[in-house]
Amino acid sequence: QTKDKTVRHALLIAVIAAAMLGGTVAQAYDAGDWIVRVGASNVDPDDPNGSLLGLDVDVDDDTSVTFNGTYMWTKHVGIELLAALPFEHDIELQGVGKVGSTKHLPPTLSAQWHFLPDSRFQPYVGAGVNLTIFFDDEEDGALKDIGGTLSINDETSVGLGAQIGADIMFNERWFVNFDVRYLDIDTEAEVTLPEGNPLTGEAAKVDVNVDIDPFVYGVHIGYRFGR
C-alpha cells in the first residue's frame, strides 16, 4: 500500500521555516478577521481498518483539494469550518487484494486556540466535530469477479476531531499553512458472497465494522480578510 509522503515532508519544512522567520507582523490576526485557506490534504486511515472472515480489511489513503474558513472570535480564539472535494479510497482484503471502493466528504467544525496571533509564525491547536458522508461505494476487483457485492450501511459518521497547525506569514495578508488532524471516522459495510465463492464456499452476508480513524496531513495557501 503506497503512502503519499509529500505532505509529511512539507510539515518538516514548516518547522524549519518557523525557526528562521520568527519576529512579528503588524496587524496579524485580530477579532473579526476572516481567514481562508486552500490547498491539499492526504487522508491516511488507520491500518488495519476491520476484518472480514478473519482477514484484515485495509482502506487505502487518498489526497484531495481541501479548503477552510476561520472566523477570529478574539485574536486568540477562532472558529473553523473544513470542507473538501471528495476523497476516494480503495478497500483491500488481506491476501485477496482490492474488493471495493468508496468516496467521502469530511466537513469538520473546530474551535481553535492561536498561541501567537501577532507573530510571523502562528501555531494553533483545535478540537471539534467531524461529519463524514460516504457515497458511491461499490464492489471491485476480486469481489466483483466472483459476483459479490459491497455497500456502506452507515452513510454518515459523526465523531470528534483534533488538529495542530501553523500559519507562516509572508506579509500582513498572505501566508502558508501546515496542519495535522486526527478524525474519528467509523462506519459499517455489508458484503455479500455468492454460493461457491472461494472464501466460504457458500452464499453469505457479512457485516464489517470499518474503523477508518485517519490522520490528515494538509498544506495550504491562506489569505486574511480584515483591517
Side-chain angles (χ1 to χ4, degrees):
Q1 184 176 9
T2 302
K3 299 297 184 181
D4 186 345
K5 302 295 184 182
T6 303
V7 178
R8 299 162 178 74
H9 293 163
L11 293 172
L12 295 177
I13 294 172
V15 175
I16 298 171
M20 295 174 62
L21 287 172
T24 61
V25 178
Q27 298 180 2
Y29 290 171
D30 207 347
D33 285 351
W34 285 94
I35 302 163
V36 295
R37 306 177 181 90
V38 179
S41 295
N42 175 254
V43 173
D44 187 9
D46 192 14
D47 193 13
N49 308 106
S51 65
L52 172 63
L53 301 175
L55 302 176
D56 288 341
V57 174
D58 291 327
V59 179
D60 202 1
D61 69 323
D62 189 39
T63 299
S64 186
V65 175
T66 47
F67 37 92
N68 61 71
T70 301
Y71 175 73
M72 297 303 295
W73 189 262
T74 71
K75 68 186 302 180
H76 288 283
V77 177
I79 306 298
E80 181 207 63
L81 179 62
L82 168 72
L85 296 183
F87 291 88
E88 182 172 4
H89 299 278
D90 290 339
I91 302 171
E92 299 178 353
L93 185 62
Q94 178 187 6
V96 177
K98 183 178 179 180
V99 294
S101 64
T102 188
K103 295 180 181 178
H104 82 272
L105 292 170
T108 303
L109 184 66
S110 301
Q112 298 175 334
W113 178 263
H114 292 251
F115 294 94
L116 304 171
D118 298 317
S119 173
R120 191 176 296 272
F121 172 62
Q122 301 193 28
Y124 60 87
V125 296
V129 178
N130 166 260
L131 171 66
T132 296
I133 304 166
F134 294 93
F135 60 99
D136 282 358
D137 46 285
E138 60 181 7
E139 61 279 353
D140 204 345
L143 182 62
K144 184 176 182 180
D145 291 342
I146 65 173
T149 64
L150 179 146
S151 62
I152 301 296
N153 291 340
D154 296 333
E155 295 184 349
T156 59
S157 168
V158 178
L160 299 178
Q163 65 176 156
I164 59 173
D167 296 330
I168 301 174
M169 309 299 295
F170 296 132
N171 53 43
E172 293 181 4
R173 300 291 179 183
W174 290 96
F175 58 89
V176 62
N177 167 264
F178 303 88
D179 73 342
V180 179
R181 301 172 187 264
Y182 175 80
L183 302 179
D184 178 19
I185 302 176
D186 303 317
T187 188
E188 185 176 271
E190 182 180 88
V191 176
T192 63
L193 301 171
E195 188 173 355
N197 70 82
L199 292 179
T200 64
E202 57 186 24
K205 181 180 293 185
V206 184
D207 290 331
V208 183
N209 292 319
V210 184
D211 299 326
I212 300 176
D213 298 340
F215 281 96
V216 182
Y217 306 90
V219 179
H220 303 85
I221 292 295
Y223 186 83
R224 178 184 69 87
F225 293 91
R227 60 185 178 86

